[in-house]
Amino acid sequence: MSDILRELLCVSEKAANIARACRQQEALFQLLIEEKKEGEKNKKFAVDFKTLADVLVQEVIKQNLENKFPGLGKKISGEESNEFTNDLGEKIILRLCSAEAETVELLSKVLNGNKLASEALAKVVHQDVSFTDPALDSIRVDIPQDILGIWVDPIDSTYQYIKGSADIKPNQGIFSCGLQCVTILIGVYDIQTGTPLMGVVNQPFVSQDPNTLRWKGQCYWGLSYMETNIHSLQLHIPERNGTETPSQLTENTSSEAEAHGFSAVISTSEKETIKAALFRVCGDSVFRAAGAGYKSLCVVQGLVDIYIFSEDTTFKWDSCAAHAILRSMGGGMVDLKECLERNPEKGLNLPQLVYHVPNEGASGVDQWANKGGLIAYRSRRQLEMFLSLLIQNLVPADTNT
């Protein structure tokens, strides 16, 4: 199974190379934007774009996995349609060809005959990428290939990718917006149970060389299957308020620690009632950031305890990858609405997000929306304590409406 995970890491790195290559030249990048058709739009945005980079990344992931593991490419679902229409009105189905010259020819049709751009992109697409991580060699687990399904978000936070801000300063390690919020998400789940099994989150734009302006990235991965739980990082929890970590603070039973022992990352579009409750629970440790994948990554990295989102505008491809990594760390991702309605005294299991069944009565992308919102967390005990405080602080806000 380390072979499939290793290939996921390789294709995520190739995807990151494509994202960086497309973003590196502004003249090239302007050619890569095509407004999404109605029905594909995420309703959270007034204008939603897909880019050629998005589609290239998704098709590269599909084709590379299919070549190495026949049948697996057909198990991949993602956000993007691979159909483009050029200025001549020709509909082109974008796919990865076996030969670089064929890919150049196909890309030329999409790019209205721009040969130089097509050659540059085809070169990156066909470039071999290797990925080494000694921890992968220790994985000895057999997961049947026929139970695997894969969700891909080729470039999460497309708006930040298009905008391309590179000079945003982080707040306690967290970027509110900018290229650092862009992620490539590959999540593997069990098609029978919907449980996330493997996840890869690639962050293509982590640091920029001030002289060459070239970007370097970082990749995170995790595997959780039966008794095997392994991930790419030993969790580092940054210190705050002296030497106490968030875990130590949550174990402190004083009212002050309960009020300020948690940190959370939220969307700028979060509901006022949720924000008000969070500020009562977390104090000043509430951070805003772009990108569902990036906000989940902040939890994986230990920069915050919780990522919470009450809206229904994240999707299975946004959450599956990070969910798998968090599971490998002892955490998870749950349905917020069900958590708020749950009676903890009855000892019911936490409502983990699942990835194998569409929402009843929904159509288009809404079939795969996380309808009840979500909470990403690292520790079940922390989540239980956080939920208890959140519910207590939501009550006054709700009674006033």
Side-chain angles (χ1 to χ4, degrees), residues 99-116:
E100 186 173 328
E102 293 175 358
T103 302
V104 171
E105 186 178 346
L106 187 60
L107 287 170
S108 291
K109 291 181 181 179
V110 178
L111 295 176
N112 302 306
N114 189 320
K115 194 75 178 293
L116 287 175

Side-chain angles (χ1 to χ4, degrees), residues 107-180:
L107 287 170
S108 291
K109 291 181 181 179
V110 178
L111 295 176
N112 302 306
N114 189 320
K115 194 75 178 293
L116 287 175
S118 302
E119 288 173 346
L121 286 174
K123 183 178 180 180
V124 180
V125 166
H126 286 272
Q127 196 171 39
D128 288 332
V129 172
S130 60
F131 189 98
T132 56
D133 190 327
L136 287 173
D137 298 330
S138 67
I139 300 176
R140 293 290 180 269
V141 57
D142 182 28
I143 307 177
Q145 186 175 316
D146 61 354
I147 72 162
L148 301 181
I150 302 176
W151 283 113
V152 171
D153 191 340
I155 297 181
D156 184 57
S157 200
T158 310
Y159 176 75
Q160 297 300 325
Y161 180 62
I162 293 169
K163 192 175 178 185
S165 300
D167 55 354
I168 306 300
K169 301 299 182 188
N171 181 5
Q172 297 192 36
I174 299 166
F175 291 87
S176 61
C177 57
L179 283 170
Q180 288 88 348

Side-chain angles (χ1 to χ4, degrees), residues 68-365:
K68 292 284 182 70
F69 306 98
L72 197 57
K74 298 179 179 63
K75 301 285 194 71
I76 296 174
S77 301
E79 181 179 11
E80 302 300 341
S81 162
N82 64 343
E83 182 183 289
F84 273 84
T85 305
N86 66 12
D87 284 352
L88 298 175
E90 298 174 313
K91 289 191 185 302
I92 299 131
I93 304 298
L94 188 65
R95 56 186 173 78
L96 180 62
C97 304
S98 56
E100 186 173 328
E102 293 175 358
T103 302
V104 171
E105 186 178 346
L106 187 60
L107 287 170
S108 291
K109 291 181 181 179
V110 178
L111 295 176
N112 302 306
N114 189 320
K115 194 75 178 293
L116 287 175
S118 302
E119 288 173 346
L121 286 174
K123 183 178 180 180
V124 180
V125 166
H126 286 272
Q127 196 171 39
D128 288 332
V129 172
S130 60
F131 189 98
T132 56
D133 190 327
L136 287 173
D137 298 330
S138 67
I139 300 176
R140 293 290 180 269
V141 57
D142 182 28
I143 307 177
Q145 186 175 316
D146 61 354
I147 72 162
L148 301 181
I150 302 176
W151 283 113
V152 171
D153 191 340
I155 297 181
D156 184 57
S157 200
T158 310
Y159 176 75
Q160 297 300 325
Y161 180 62
I162 293 169
K163 192 175 178 185
S165 300
D167 55 354
I168 306 300
K169 301 299 182 188
N171 181 5
Q172 297 192 36
I174 299 166
F175 291 87
S176 61
C177 57
L179 283 170
Q180 288 88 348
C181 297
V182 173
T183 52
I184 293 160
L185 310 172
I186 309 174
V188 181
Y189 63 95
D190 185 327
I191 60 174
Q192 299 169 338
T193 65
T195 302
L197 305 174
M198 288 182 280
V200 173
V201 176
N202 196 309
Q203 191 181 15
F205 305 97
V206 173
S207 60
Q208 190 178 32
D209 187 303
N211 298 315
T212 65
L213 300 182
R214 297 283 174 181
W215 285 91
K216 289 185 178 179
Q218 181 71 41
C219 196
Y220 303 83
W221 58 266
L223 181 148
S224 179
Y225 181 69
M226 292 187 170
E227 301 303 313
T228 301
N229 288 284
I230 185 167
H231 54 83
S232 59
L233 70 171
Q234 294 298 314
L235 196 60
H236 168 72
I237 302 176
E239 292 181 358
R240 287 199 304 268
N241 301 327
T243 58
E244 287 184 302
T245 67
S247 296
Q248 290 168 329
L249 285 170
T250 55
E251 288 169 9
N252 189 329
T253 56
S254 75
S255 58
E256 183 180 353
E258 284 188 345
H260 301 290
F262 289 97
S263 58
V265 63
I266 62 172
S267 168
T268 53
S269 63
E270 185 54 80
K271 291 176 181 174
E272 290 301 323
T273 52
I274 297 290
K275 284 195 288 188
L278 278 176
F279 285 121
R280 285 191 284 268
V281 172
C282 302
D284 293 332
S285 297
V286 179
F287 305 90
R288 293 177 176 84
Y294 176 68
K295 287 190 280 285
S296 300
L297 182 59
C298 288
V299 182
V300 169
Q301 292 173 310
L303 295 171
V304 291
D305 302 312
I306 296 289
Y307 160 37
I308 183 169
F309 189 50
S310 62
E311 302 286 346
D312 62 353
T313 49
T314 67
F315 299 86
K316 301 306 179 188
W317 49 79
D318 292 313
S319 55
C320 188
H323 192 170
I325 300 174
L326 288 167
R327 281 191 77 234
S328 74
M329 295 174 159
M333 206 173 288
V334 291
D335 184 294
L336 171 61
K337 186 172 183 289
E338 289 187 30
C339 282
L340 296 179
E341 294 173 350
R342 163 179 166 267
N343 184 350
E345 294 178 2
K346 292 186 177 180
L348 299 176
N349 289 331
L350 288 167
Q352 295 290 325
L353 299 184
V354 291
Y355 296 88
H356 62 317
V357 289
N359 295 317
E360 285 187 26
S363 61
V365 295

Side-chain angles (χ1 to χ4, degrees), residues 9-39:
L9 290 161
C10 283
V11 296
S12 84
E13 193 55 30
K14 181 178 279 193
N17 286 342
I18 293 169
R20 285 188 286 261
C22 290
R23 199 66 196 77
Q24 203 69 44
Q25 302 176 46
E26 191 61 31
L28 170 63
F29 187 67
Q30 292 302 320
L31 300 173
L32 305 183
I33 302 168
E34 178 177 312
E35 191 169 354
K36 285 189 175 178
K37 300 178 182 65
E38 201 62 42

